[in-house]
Amino acid sequence: MTQPPHDEPTAANPEELREQVEQTRAELGQTVEALAAKADVKARTQEKAAEVKEQAAAKATDVKEQATAKAAELKEQTALKAGELKAKAAELAHQAQDKLPDPVKEKAALAAEQARTKAGQAGQLWQDKAPEPVRQKTAQGAQLARDNRKALLVATGVAVMAWLAFRRKG
C-alpha cells in the first residue's frame, strides 16, 4: 500500500476523507492567494507607496510639532530677554537720574513746565490758523506719537543724556 502525502493517516470513512479534501483545498486556495499576492507587483507597489506616504505624514507631523515647540521656546526666551532689557533700561535711567545734580533736575522741571506752556500756546495758535487737512494729518502724527510714547521717551532720554555728556566733555 502507498503512503499518503505528508505522512497523514488515511481516512477511516468517506466523511473523514471529504473533510481532509476540503481542508486541503482550503490550504491550497490560501497558498494560491499568497502566491498571487506576491506576483501582483502593482498592488505591492501601491501598498508600499501607501506605507511610505503614512511614514512621511507621521514624520511631517513630528517635525511640525518640534518646530512649534521650538518657536514657543524661542518666543518665551525673547519675552524674557525683552523683560531683562526693559528692566536694565529702567535701572540705567534711574541711575542717570540719581546722578543728576539737584539744580539740573530743577532746571529740567522748569524747562519742562515752560515747554508744556509754550506747547499749549502753540497748539491753540495752530488750531486757530492751520487749514483743516493739515490739522488732520498732524492729529494722525500726534496719535502715532502717543501710541509709541515709550519709544519716544526712551529716545528723548538717550538724546538728553548724550547731550549732557557731550556738554560736560566740551
Side-chain angles (χ1 to χ4, degrees):
M1 191 165 153
T2 58
Q3 190 72 12
H6 304 292
D7 297 332
E8 293 178 4
T10 58
N13 59 41
E15 187 59 35
E16 285 182 21
L17 185 58
R18 283 188 195 102
E19 287 178 16
Q20 287 177 357
V21 167
E22 279 302 314
Q23 183 178 355
T24 303
R25 282 183 183 156
E27 290 174 1
L28 183 59
Q30 291 173 354
T31 303
V32 168
E33 285 179 17
L35 289 172
K38 283 190 175 186
D40 190 358
V41 175
K42 183 178 179 181
R44 288 177 51 202
T45 302
Q46 289 174 342
E47 289 172 4
K48 187 66 175 178
E51 180 183 322
V52 169
K53 184 178 177 181
E54 287 177 16
Q55 289 174 349
K59 186 67 175 178
T61 300
D62 288 346
V63 169
K64 182 180 177 184
E65 289 172 357
Q66 289 174 357
T68 302
K70 189 66 173 176
E73 180 183 334
L74 288 174
K75 183 178 179 181
E76 184 178 322
Q77 288 175 354
T78 302
L80 288 174
K81 194 66 163 174
E84 290 173 7
L85 290 173
K86 186 177 179 180
K88 185 70 173 175
E91 180 184 332
L92 289 172
H94 286 298
Q95 287 176 359
Q97 192 175 25
D98 291 343
K99 290 181 181 182
L100 286 176
D102 286 336
V104 172
K105 288 179 186 177
E106 291 169 4
K107 284 183 181 179
L110 180 62
E113 182 59 37
Q114 289 174 349
R116 277 192 287 273
T117 303
K118 291 289 185 183
Q121 291 171 353
Q124 186 59 44
L125 182 62
W126 177 258
Q127 288 293 331
D128 294 341
K129 302 286 183 175
E132 182 61 29
V134 176
R135 284 192 306 218
Q136 287 177 349
K137 287 290 184 185
T138 305
Q140 289 174 351
Q143 183 62 43
L144 184 63
R146 280 191 294 275
D147 291 344
N148 297 301
R149 183 176 291 155
K150 287 182 183 179
L152 289 172
L153 289 174
V154 169
T156 303
V158 168
V160 168
M161 289 190 325
W163 176 72
L164 287 173
F166 181 73
R167 187 173 161 204
R168 286 186 183 171
K169 287 182 181 180

